[in-house]
Amino acid sequence: MSRAIIAGPDHDGLGAALEGRGIDVVRVEGVLTASVLADAGVDDADLFVLTDLDEATAISVAKDRNPTVRVVVYSHDSLPEFARRQTDLAMDPDLFGVDMVAEELLRADS
């Protein structure tokens, strides 16, 4: 894995944990339209991490543009039903710290 998009606020520092392990991280916030995700490089991304579930429709946009991207939800909120089938992994920051998540994502990719 070499490229990740963190979509939404990263209060817990998952982006920094991934960068510390050699991953190129692009951060995007706000309304996650197809053009925003394209500008962020979703077409070539290995990982799409969503932290703002108000923007859960971005999961289907990311998968439409890049069917092989791994989608990870890292949020305290519940994942909407419509997005569950396209999400590879959903984790609650209260239960899984950023270092553990970063290591698991790297391990799962190898």
Side-chain angles (χ1 to χ4, degrees), residues 5-10 26-32 36-37 39-41 48-52:
I5 296 172
I6 305 288
D10 187 16
V26 176
R27 293 170 175 80
V28 292
E29 290 192 49
V31 178
L32 300 175
V36 168
L37 295 179
D39 290 346
F48 178 74
V49 179
L50 183 67
T51 65
D52 179 3

Side-chain angles (χ1 to χ4, degrees), residues 32-71:
L32 300 175
T33 63
S35 62
V36 168
L37 295 179
D39 290 346
V42 74
D43 294 352
D44 300 319
D46 301 298
L47 183 64
F48 178 74
V49 179
L50 183 67
T51 65
D52 179 3
L53 294 187
D54 288 340
E55 294 294 322
T57 56
I59 292 170
S60 62
V61 174
K63 281 293 200 179
D64 284 347
R65 294 192 62 95
N66 180 353
T68 63
V69 72
R70 289 184 59 214
V71 173

Side-chain angles (χ1 to χ4, degrees), residues 50 53 56 59 71-73 75-90:
L50 183 67
L53 294 187
I59 292 170
V71 173
V72 175
V73 171
S75 175
H76 299 281
D77 300 322
S78 294
L79 183 62
E81 184 67 36
F82 72 86
R84 290 183 183 172
R85 284 180 280 147
Q86 292 183 305
T87 300
D88 297 298
L89 185 63

Side-chain angles (χ1 to χ4, degrees), residues 12 51 73-77 90-98 101:
D12 298 296
T51 65
V73 171
Y74 192 64
S75 175
H76 299 281
D77 300 322
M91 304 178 93
D92 185 327
D94 287 336
L95 302 174
F96 302 96
V98 294
V101 173

